[in-house]
CSV table of all heavy atoms in Angstrom, one decimal:
chain,number,residue,atom,x,y,z
A,26,ALA,N,5.2,16.0,-12.0
A,26,ALA,CA,6.4,16.3,-11.6
A,26,ALA,C,6.8,16.1,-10.2
A,26,ALA,O,7.9,15.7,-9.9
A,26,ALA,CB,6.7,17.8,-12.0
A,27,TRP,N,5.7,16.4,-9.3
A,27,TRP,CA,6.0,16.1,-7.9
A,27,TRP,C,6.1,14.5,-7.6
A,27,TRP,O,7.0,14.1,-6.9
A,27,TRP,CB,4.9,16.5,-7.1
A,27,TRP,CG,5.0,18.1,-6.7
A,27,TRP,CD1,4.1,19.0,-7.0
A,27,TRP,CD2,6.0,18.6,-6.0
A,27,TRP,NE1,4.5,20.2,-6.6
A,27,TRP,CE2,5.8,20.1,-6.0
A,27,TRP,CE3,7.2,18.2,-5.3
A,27,TRP,CZ2,6.4,20.9,-5.3
A,27,TRP,CZ3,8.0,19.1,-4.8
A,27,TRP,CH2,7.7,20.4,-4.6
A,28,LEU,N,5.4,13.7,-8.4
A,28,LEU,CA,5.5,12.3,-8.3
A,28,LEU,C,7.0,11.8,-8.5
A,28,LEU,O,7.5,11.0,-7.8
A,28,LEU,CB,4.6,11.5,-9.3
A,28,LEU,CG,4.5,10.1,-9.3
A,28,LEU,CD1,3.2,9.5,-9.5
A,28,LEU,CD2,5.5,9.4,-10.1
A,29,ASP,N,7.6,12.3,-9.6
A,29,ASP,CA,8.9,12.0,-10.0
A,29,ASP,C,9.9,12.6,-9.1
A,29,ASP,O,10.9,12.0,-8.8
A,29,ASP,CB,9.3,12.4,-11.4
A,29,ASP,CG,8.3,11.6,-12.4
A,29,ASP,OD1,8.3,10.4,-12.3
A,29,ASP,OD2,7.7,12.3,-13.2
A,30,THR,N,9.6,13.7,-8.5
A,30,THR,CA,10.5,14.2,-7.4
A,30,THR,C,10.5,13.2,-6.2
A,30,THR,O,11.6,13.0,-5.6
A,30,THR,CB,9.9,15.6,-6.9
A,30,THR,OG1,9.9,16.5,-8.0
A,30,THR,CG2,10.8,16.1,-5.8
A,31,ILE,N,9.3,12.8,-5.8
A,31,ILE,CA,9.2,11.9,-4.7
A,31,ILE,C,10.0,10.6,-5.0
A,31,ILE,O,10.7,10.0,-4.0
A,31,ILE,CB,7.7,11.7,-4.4
A,31,ILE,CG1,7.1,12.9,-3.8
A,31,ILE,CG2,7.6,10.5,-3.4
A,31,ILE,CD1,5.5,12.9,-3.9
A,32,ARG,N,9.9,10.1,-6.2
A,32,ARG,CA,10.6,8.8,-6.6
A,32,ARG,C,12.0,9.0,-6.4
A,32,ARG,O,12.7,8.1,-6.0
A,32,ARG,CB,10.3,8.4,-8.0
A,32,ARG,CG,8.8,7.9,-8.1
A,32,ARG,CD,8.7,7.2,-9.5
A,32,ARG,NE,9.1,8.0,-10.7
A,32,ARG,CZ,10.4,7.8,-11.4
A,32,ARG,NH1,11.2,6.9,-11.0
A,32,ARG,NH2,10.6,8.6,-12.3
A,33,MET,N,12.6,10.3,-6.8
A,33,MET,CA,14.0,10.6,-6.7
A,33,MET,C,14.3,10.6,-5.2
A,33,MET,O,15.5,10.3,-4.7
A,33,MET,CB,14.4,11.7,-7.4
A,33,MET,CG,14.2,11.7,-8.8
A,33,MET,SD,15.0,10.2,-9.6
A,33,MET,CE,13.8,9.1,-9.9
A,34,MET,N,13.4,11.1,-4.3
A,34,MET,CA,13.6,11.2,-2.8
A,34,MET,C,13.8,9.8,-2.3
A,34,MET,O,14.7,9.5,-1.4
A,34,MET,CB,12.5,11.9,-2.2
A,34,MET,CG,12.5,13.5,-2.5
A,34,MET,SD,11.0,14.3,-1.8
A,34,MET,CE,11.3,14.2,-0.1
A,35,GLN,N,13.0,8.9,-2.8
A,35,GLN,CA,13.0,7.5,-2.4
A,35,GLN,C,14.4,6.9,-2.7
A,35,GLN,O,15.0,6.0,-2.1
A,35,GLN,CB,11.9,6.6,-3.0
A,35,GLN,CG,10.5,7.1,-2.5
A,35,GLN,CD,9.5,6.4,-3.3
A,35,GLN,OE1,9.6,6.1,-4.5
A,35,GLN,NE2,8.3,6.2,-2.6
A,36,LYS,N,14.8,7.2,-3.9
A,36,LYS,CA,16.1,6.6,-4.4
A,36,LYS,C,17.3,7.4,-3.8
A,36,LYS,O,18.5,6.7,-3.7
A,36,LYS,CB,16.3,6.7,-5.8
A,36,LYS,CG,15.3,5.8,-6.6
A,36,LYS,CD,15.5,5.8,-8.1
A,36,LYS,CE,14.5,4.9,-8.8
A,36,LYS,NZ,14.8,4.8,-10.3
A,37,GLY,N,17.2,8.6,-3.2
A,37,GLY,CA,18.2,9.4,-2.7
A,37,GLY,C,18.5,9.3,-1.2
A,37,GLY,O,19.2,10.0,-0.7
A,38,GLY,N,17.7,8.4,-0.6
A,38,GLY,CA,17.9,8.2,0.9
A,38,GLY,C,17.2,9.2,1.7
A,38,GLY,O,17.6,9.4,2.9
A,39,PHE,N,16.2,9.8,1.3
A,39,PHE,CA,15.4,10.7,2.2
A,39,PHE,C,14.7,9.9,3.2
A,39,PHE,O,14.3,8.7,2.9
A,39,PHE,CB,14.5,11.5,1.4
A,39,PHE,CG,15.1,12.8,0.8
A,39,PHE,CD1,15.9,12.7,-0.3
A,39,PHE,CD2,14.8,14.1,1.2
A,39,PHE,CE1,16.5,13.7,-0.9
A,39,PHE,CE2,15.4,15.1,0.7
A,39,PHE,CZ,16.1,14.9,-0.4
A,40,SER,N,14.4,10.4,4.4
A,40,SER,CA,13.6,9.7,5.5
A,40,SER,C,12.2,9.4,5.0
A,40,SER,O,11.7,10.2,4.1
A,40,SER,CB,13.6,10.5,6.7
A,40,SER,OG,12.8,11.6,6.6
A,41,GLN,N,11.6,8.3,5.5
A,41,GLN,CA,10.3,8.0,5.1
A,41,GLN,C,9.2,9.1,5.5
A,41,GLN,O,8.2,9.3,4.9
A,41,GLN,CB,9.8,6.6,5.8
A,41,GLN,CG,8.5,6.1,5.3
A,41,GLN,CD,8.5,6.0,3.8
A,41,GLN,OE1,9.4,5.5,3.2
A,41,GLN,NE2,7.3,6.4,3.2
A,42,SER,N,9.5,9.7,6.7
A,42,SER,CA,8.7,10.8,7.1
A,42,SER,C,8.6,12.0,6.2
A,42,SER,O,7.6,12.6,5.9
A,42,SER,CB,9.0,11.3,8.4
A,42,SER,OG,10.3,11.8,8.5
A,43,GLU,N,9.8,12.4,5.7
A,43,GLU,CA,9.8,13.5,4.6
A,43,GLU,C,9.2,13.0,3.3
A,43,GLU,O,8.5,13.9,2.8
A,43,GLU,CB,11.4,13.7,4.3
A,43,GLU,CG,12.1,14.4,5.4
A,43,GLU,CD,13.6,14.5,5.0
A,43,GLU,OE1,14.3,13.6,4.8
A,43,GLU,OE2,14.1,15.8,5.0
A,44,ILE,N,9.4,11.9,2.9
A,44,ILE,CA,8.7,11.3,1.6
A,44,ILE,C,7.2,11.3,1.8
A,44,ILE,O,6.5,11.8,1.0
A,44,ILE,CB,9.2,9.9,1.3
A,44,ILE,CG1,10.7,10.1,1.0
A,44,ILE,CG2,8.4,9.3,0.2
A,44,ILE,CD1,11.5,8.7,0.9
A,45,GLN,N,6.8,10.8,3.0
A,45,GLN,CA,5.2,10.7,3.2
A,45,GLN,C,4.7,12.0,3.3
A,45,GLN,O,3.6,12.3,2.9
A,45,GLN,CB,5.0,10.0,4.5
A,45,GLN,CG,3.6,9.5,4.7
A,45,GLN,CD,3.0,8.7,3.5
A,45,GLN,OE1,3.6,7.8,3.2
A,45,GLN,NE2,1.9,9.1,3.0
A,46,GLN,N,5.3,13.0,3.9
A,46,GLN,CA,4.9,14.4,4.0
A,46,GLN,C,4.7,15.0,2.6
A,46,GLN,O,3.6,15.6,2.3
A,46,GLN,CB,5.8,15.3,4.8
A,46,GLN,CG,5.3,16.7,5.0
A,46,GLN,CD,6.4,17.5,5.8
A,46,GLN,OE1,7.4,17.2,6.1
A,46,GLN,NE2,6.0,18.8,5.9
A,47,LYS,N,5.6,14.7,1.7
A,47,LYS,CA,5.6,15.3,0.4
A,47,LYS,C,4.4,14.5,-0.4
A,47,LYS,O,3.7,15.2,-1.2
A,47,LYS,CB,6.9,15.0,-0.4
A,47,LYS,CG,7.1,15.9,-1.6
A,47,LYS,CD,7.1,17.3,-1.3
A,47,LYS,CE,8.2,17.9,-0.7
A,47,LYS,NZ,8.4,19.3,-0.5
A,48,ILE,N,4.2,13.4,-0.2
A,48,ILE,CA,3.1,12.6,-0.7
A,48,ILE,C,1.8,13.1,-0.4
A,48,ILE,O,0.9,13.3,-1.2
A,48,ILE,CB,3.2,11.0,-0.5
A,48,ILE,CG1,4.4,10.5,-1.1
A,48,ILE,CG2,1.9,10.3,-0.9
A,48,ILE,CD1,4.7,9.0,-0.8
A,49,ASP,N,1.6,13.3,0.9
A,49,ASP,CA,0.3,13.8,1.4
A,49,ASP,C,0.0,15.2,0.9
A,49,ASP,O,-1.1,15.6,0.7
A,49,ASP,CB,0.3,13.8,3.0
A,49,ASP,CG,0.4,12.3,3.5
A,49,ASP,OD1,0.0,11.6,2.7
A,49,ASP,OD2,0.8,12.2,4.7
A,50,GLU,N,1.2,16.1,0.7
A,50,GLU,CA,1.0,17.5,0.4
A,50,GLU,C,0.6,17.6,-1.1
A,50,GLU,O,-0.1,18.5,-1.4
A,50,GLU,CB,2.2,18.2,0.7
A,50,GLU,CG,2.5,18.5,2.2
A,50,GLU,CD,3.7,19.3,2.4
A,50,GLU,OE1,4.5,19.6,1.5
A,50,GLU,OE2,3.9,19.7,3.6
A,51,LYS,N,1.3,16.8,-1.9
A,51,LYS,CA,1.4,17.0,-3.4
A,51,LYS,C,0.6,16.1,-4.3
A,51,LYS,O,0.3,16.6,-5.4
A,51,LYS,CB,2.8,17.1,-3.9
A,51,LYS,CG,3.7,18.2,-3.2
A,51,LYS,CD,3.2,19.6,-3.4
A,51,LYS,CE,4.1,20.6,-2.8
A,51,LYS,NZ,3.6,22.0,-3.1
């Protein structure tokens, strides 16, 4: 579920730092 959350962040214009932080955490 977190992986798909992160994919939607990538498509929704979130900053790379926010996305990377979530990848590292989850």
Side-chain angles (χ1 to χ4, degrees):
W27 278 120
L28 182 149
D29 294 307
T30 303
I31 291 164
R32 291 195 303 105
M33 295 306 101
M34 291 173 69
Q35 292 172 334
K36 293 185 177 185
F39 280 71
S40 69
Q41 187 57 41
S42 61
E43 290 176 299
I44 294 170
Q45 191 59 49
Q46 181 182 3
K47 195 65 72 176
I48 291 172
D49 294 339
E50 286 178 359
K51 300 297 183 182

